[in-house]
Amino acid sequence: MALVSEPLVAIDNVNKHFGDLHVLKDVTTSVQKGEVVVVIGPSGSGKSTLCRAINRLETIDGGEIRIDGQALPAEGRALAQLRADVGMVFQAFNLFAHKTVLENVALGPRKVRRLSKADAEARAMALLDRVGVANQAHKMPAQLSGGQQQRVAIARALAMEPKLILLDEPTSALDPEMINEVLDVMVQLAKDGMTMIVVTHEMGFARRAADRVLFMADGEIVEEATPEKFFTDPQTQRAKDFLSKILTH
């Protein structure tokens, strides 16, 4: 009898409040290994909160999130281990300003994965090459463009060899001409089979790289579909209204 494999990420009836505001309402979904899930929706719909809850940057008030079959640990070493397995790329690049690009990428593998300095730096250089910024390795982050910094941040997340990468609006702080250089790296990661959950306003990326689109509004997942189905045949009025606003501009 074939066993149905456990999803890499399982989210069951997750609720979250900020004071009186109910930002996640009974959210249930799952992500399979190797799947690219893009989360879209209007501002304030709970997308980033959901993304941040998956590696416990936000605590949840109810429900459960499991990664690779394990419930999210509350704190301590188990939580540090989980964070090592779940890469995160933020809207603001969050690089260490006082460390070189190479040091930024090599730091996690040295501290958490216990690699030697030489091995960590070799891995870091290979990843900087992969995202197209190897020639910037010895510069400080402030010397790089926003697009280059974000590609370094992606390399830093990859350096931990995570099971999953969360990208929370990774291009929204970038100038338009830099957005594509970051999206191109993300598309390549998707092709390489990296499991990714991406919160983004970039519909072109959703169409090109997503296996599935989650459309959120008012703290709920309103629709889940393939990009083709979602963009050509949305099922709800909320999704139709959202698409009509963004696709006509």
Side-chain angles (χ1 to χ4, degrees):
M1 182 177 111
L3 289 171
V4 178
S5 66
E6 170 111 22
L8 185 61
V9 183
I11 299 168
D12 289 321
N13 288 316
V14 165
N15 281 275
K16 170 74 181 175
H17 296 79
F18 289 123
D20 294 335
L21 195 61
H22 197 173
V23 287
L24 295 176
K25 303 173 185 169
D26 295 321
V27 172
T28 297
T29 189
S30 62
V31 179
Q32 299 296 327
K33 192 169 189 302
E35 194 175 20
V36 178
V37 174
V38 171
V39 187
I40 61 175
S43 293
S45 57
K47 309 181 299 290
S48 288
T49 304
L50 179 63
C51 192
R52 293 168 66 84
I54 292 170
N55 75 345
R56 221 170 177 287
L57 286 173
E58 295 286 358
T59 54
I60 56 176
D61 302 328
E64 186 181 53
I65 299 175
R66 292 187 308 282
I67 298 201
D68 225 0
Q70 304 290 314
L72 280 196
E75 56 204 15
R77 291 185 65 165
L79 182 59
Q81 182 60 50
L82 166 93
R83 291 221 175 112
D85 286 340
V86 180
M88 182 105 194
V89 177
F90 301 89
Q91 181 174 344
F93 324 118
N94 289 15
L95 298 172
F96 294 113
H98 61 289
K99 292 188 180 297
T100 66
V101 164
L102 182 64
E103 287 167 339
N104 263 280
V105 179
L107 185 66
R110 288 185 65 190
K111 293 270 190 235
V112 182
R113 299 288 191 218
R114 302 286 180 224
L115 290 193
S116 70
K117 183 169 190 271
D119 286 347
E121 289 189 351
R123 179 185 292 180
M125 280 306 299
L127 288 167
L128 290 170
D129 187 49
R130 184 172 169 188
V131 301
V133 288
N135 58 338
Q136 310 292 333
H138 300 294
K139 291 185 179 172
M140 304 307 269
Q143 295 174 277
L144 275 57
S145 71
Q148 289 170 327
Q149 288 188 60
Q150 193 60 294
R151 286 185 283 160
V152 172
I154 291 171
R156 183 178 61 179
L158 291 172
M160 298 297 286
E161 299 190 328
K163 297 172 179 176
L164 163 73
I165 292 191
L166 308 170
L167 298 107
D168 185 12
E169 306 212 3
T171 59
S172 59
L174 299 177
D175 293 333
E177 68 271 18
M178 292 175 193
I179 289 174
N180 280 339
E181 65 187 58
V182 174
L183 291 177
D184 287 345
V185 170
M186 289 161 56
V187 168
Q188 193 54 54
L189 286 183
K191 286 183 179 156
D192 293 345
M194 173 57 75
T195 311
M196 296 159 68
I197 299 174
V198 186
V199 175
T200 187
H201 295 290
E202 295 296 329
M203 298 304 138
F205 173 78
R207 287 187 136 145
R208 250 163 88 200
D211 295 303
R212 194 154 39 100
V213 171
L214 302 186
F215 173 69
M216 290 185 73
D218 303 320
E220 299 176 297
I221 296 175
V222 179
E223 287 195 34
E224 285 191 57
T226 62
E228 174 67 22
K229 173 92 175 144
F230 179 75
F231 287 110
T232 58
D233 186 21
Q235 300 297 298
T236 60
Q237 196 55 49
R238 281 306 306 260
K240 287 172 185 165
D241 291 347
F242 175 77
L243 289 171
S244 72
K245 286 191 183 91
I246 56 162
L247 297 179
T248 50
H249 295 301

